[in-house]
Amino acid sequence: KLQMEFYPNPVNNIVQVQLSEQVNNATLKVYTITGQVVLEKTKVSGNKFQLQIENLASGTYFIELTENGNSSRNKLIKN
């Protein structure tokens, strides 16, 4: 199963994302607790990358990464 870790959490501007395995052509979504997608990246590859979220309002979000039907979802707190 795909595992995702990120830091810092809570975060201010930039999230460092680390995956348990390499992905190729994955989709990453950040959405609110009500399900509204506020950030989407397609064609995500590798096992380490950064997310710029300084434009998001403070609050609780979920990060979901999906590749070939496998997904990992975690809670993120934005300061």
Side-chain angles (χ1 to χ4, degrees):
K1 183 179 179 203
L2 184 62
Q3 299 291 319
M4 174 175 45
E5 296 180 357
F6 47 85
Y7 56 90
N9 190 17
V11 62
N12 291 320
N13 298 318
I14 298 174
V15 181
Q16 308 288 336
V17 180
Q18 175 79 47
L19 305 175
S20 59
E21 57 193 68
Q22 295 279 338
V23 295
N24 187 26
N25 204 24
T27 300
L28 182 96
K29 292 182 182 177
V30 177
Y31 52 97
T32 65
I33 56 173
T34 60
Q36 178 187 3
V37 176
V38 291
L39 178 66
E40 183 170 2
K41 289 176 82 96
T42 57
K43 298 185 171 95
V44 175
S45 295
N47 70 339
K48 205 179 217 182
F49 50 90
Q50 293 183 340
L51 274 181
Q52 305 263 348
I53 63 163
E54 64 270 4
N55 295 332
L56 298 183
S58 297
T60 301
Y61 295 89
F62 292 98
I63 296 181
E64 183 176 69
L65 185 86
T66 306
E67 180 195 40
N68 298 328
N70 296 324
S71 66
S72 181
R73 182 173 131 174
N74 293 50
K75 188 191 294 187
L76 174 70
I77 308 295
K78 168 78 163 66
N79 284 333

